[in-house]
Amino acid sequence: MFIVDAHLDLAYSALRYGRDLTQDVETVRQSESRQRRHPNGVITTTIPDLLEGKIGLVFGTLFVMPESGNRSEPDNLRLVYSDRDGAYRAAGKELDYYHRLADEVERVRIVDDLDGLEEVVASHKDGETPLLGIVPLMEGADPIRAPEEVEEWYERGVRIVGPAWDDTQYAAGAWRGRGGFTHEGRELMEIMADLGMILDITHLSEEASLEALERYEGAIVATHANARALVPGARQLDDNQLRRLAERDGVVGIVLYNRFLKKGYTPSDPKESVTVDDVVAHIDHVCQLLGDANHVGIGSDLDGGFGYEDIPAEIDTAADLAKIAPALRERGYDEEAVANVMGENWLRRLRTAFSED
């Protein structure tokens, strides 16, 4: 079973918080244990733990924080930007980080084409040494200072772009929920499609997401979003968005954040109040809505502003993502459907996009 996690803020965790992701999680936890509460939560994800869990592929984000969103840690200005140039520089540091990982860690690869993808997949066959592939994903497109500059990021390996996190120069974000794409955003979509890039509708306002689903001519996904039918809120996708995404052969990745998994969950609730069964409930909702298991996967967002305290009871580190598979089997999913959810759906979407590139 090949496992794909479509959303991990690895570079953000490493560069904003000084974490050494080449060490195992337990070692990093020990080094941070003197802090009363780490601002990003108790760490769950490092390279050794991903390899231990036989995770074959992750989408590694370039996420930089707009100055307006840095209220909880105003003294930490790492990867924070106030203008386009600042966003460009900060995201460039994160992309450089991924390339260094691939240079320095023998089993890590940057995946930006079909040959690289198949090399990683083949390494997970019996008798081979499993590799970890990282597909660079830009979360929030402000680092692209002008639409035509996306080509530079493409040349450096970025293959997926989410136009918004909060509002950006290109599109409205879900947090505020006002408006769609700007003129620059429509130009960005045109150039991205010409380059064969994948567009991520996660974090877009509902209006912007529907515009992208209608207008964008390339591959389209939602790397990390849950079902609004189970947990209300603009940050989730409603049934109409999920249907429209499936019509475009898109895939949605389910987030392992308890607040997005269980209605009414608050940070004061015990970790044990949310389980892997709640993850499966979101997966099952998508499958029942669409009539198959071909358009949903994992987009955990582990260490994406929350840590061990706010993820399902059975999950200690990223190595535990495989625990979703037996929970799916218990729900009645056959082996093909389980394999699709755990990674094959993301592989299909990437293979198609890379083949058309």
Side-chain angles (χ1 to χ4, degrees):
M1 183 173 60
F2 191 90
I3 302 176
V4 178
D5 187 336
H7 200 90
L8 287 175
D9 293 324
L10 298 174
Y12 186 80
S13 181
L15 299 182
R16 183 164 169 86
Y17 299 108
R19 290 167 160 171
D20 182 356
L21 300 191
T22 66
Q23 298 183 329
D24 60 61
V25 162
E26 191 54 42
T27 300
V28 180
R29 285 178 178 174
Q30 287 295 323
S31 71
E32 295 179 349
S33 62
R34 288 187 291 272
Q35 298 186 41
R36 185 173 180 181
R37 179 180 173 93
H38 193 281
N40 206 49
V42 175
I43 190 170
T44 67
T45 307
T46 66
I47 301 304
D49 289 84
L50 290 167
L51 291 168
E52 178 190 342
K54 296 182 170 56
I55 315 305
L57 191 74
V58 303
F59 298 0
T61 70
L62 312 182
F63 171 71
V64 294
M65 178 71 74
E67 190 174 49
S68 61
N70 197 41
R71 291 182 293 272
S72 63
E73 298 178 70
D75 295 332
N76 185 351
L77 299 179
R78 296 173 187 156
L79 303 180
V80 175
Y81 69 94
S82 58
D83 57 27
R84 298 182 186 192
D85 287 340
Y88 173 86
R89 289 191 298 270
K93 291 177 182 177
E94 292 184 312
L95 188 52
D96 288 343
Y97 171 81
Y98 288 123
H99 283 285
R100 284 199 307 274
L101 271 182
D103 288 341
E104 296 171 4
V105 181
E106 186 177 359
R107 292 171 61 186
V108 173
R109 300 286 187 276
I110 298 296
V111 172
D112 57 13
D113 60 21
L114 188 58
D115 287 344
L117 178 64
E118 299 301 354
E119 178 193 9
V120 171
V121 173
S123 74
H124 284 256
K125 295 179 180 177
D126 290 343
E128 302 294 329
T129 300
L131 300 174
L132 173 65
I134 299 176
V135 181
L137 154 69
M138 184 178 288
E139 181 180 17
D142 274 345
I144 304 170
R145 293 173 294 186
E148 59 272 15
E149 194 174 77
V150 71
E151 188 167 359
E152 175 187 329
W153 291 99
Y154 178 87
E155 292 298 327
R156 294 183 62 192
V158 175
R159 291 296 177 266
I160 309 169
V161 174
W165 177 73
D166 198 347
D167 291 351
T168 65
Q169 60 189 301
Y170 297 111
W175 304 119
R176 305 176 196 276
R178 298 188 299 270
F181 276 80
T182 65
H183 176 71
E184 279 190 310
R186 296 183 186 105
E187 288 185 23
L188 178 70
M189 283 196 283
E190 290 180 9
I191 299 171
M192 283 177 57
D194 287 343
L195 291 169
M197 299 181 81
I198 300 171
L199 189 148
D200 183 5
I201 65 169
T202 309
H203 283 290
L204 287 173
S205 70
E206 186 167 346
E207 179 182 342
S209 73
L210 294 175
E211 183 176 354
L213 287 161
E214 179 67 29
R215 179 186 291 267
Y216 190 62
E217 295 181 355
I220 194 162
V221 300
T223 61
H224 60 306
N226 292 2
R228 193 183 301 177
L230 301 184
V231 178
R235 176 62 180 78
Q236 324 300 344
L237 298 183
D238 69 17
D239 288 355
N240 178 50
Q241 290 168 299
L242 290 168
R243 289 192 189 97
R244 296 281 297 278
L245 184 64
E247 288 169 2
R248 296 291 310 275
D249 196 28
V251 181
V252 57
I254 300 302
V255 182
L256 269 62
Y257 181 27
N258 287 351
R259 191 162 70 87
F260 291 177
L261 288 170
K262 188 170 185 176
K263 182 179 178 181
Y265 175 88
T266 69
S268 62
D269 292 334
K271 173 185 172 73
E272 294 74 19
S273 65
V274 183
T275 71
V276 169
D277 285 341
D278 293 296
V279 180
V280 172
H282 284 264
I283 294 170
D284 187 61
H285 177 83
V286 177
C287 294
Q288 297 300 326
L289 176 72
L290 303 177
D292 58 44
N294 298 331
H295 301 284
V296 62
I298 300 167
S300 74
D301 205 9
L302 292 176
D303 295 337
F306 56 92
Y308 165 83
E309 310 93 317
D310 290 308
I311 61 178
E314 301 91 335
I315 308 298
D316 179 36
T317 76
D320 295 319
L321 290 179
K323 292 180 179 179
I324 296 170
L328 286 166
R329 295 186 188 103
E330 289 179 11
R331 187 65 72 97
Y333 285 86
D334 62 24
E335 289 305 312
E336 180 181 1
V338 172
N340 284 346
V341 172
M342 297 304 293
E344 292 298 326
N345 289 333
W346 287 119
L347 290 181
R348 182 192 74 247
R349 182 65 278 185
L350 287 174
R351 283 177 172 131
T352 302
F354 288 165
S355 296
E356 295 171 351
D357 188 353

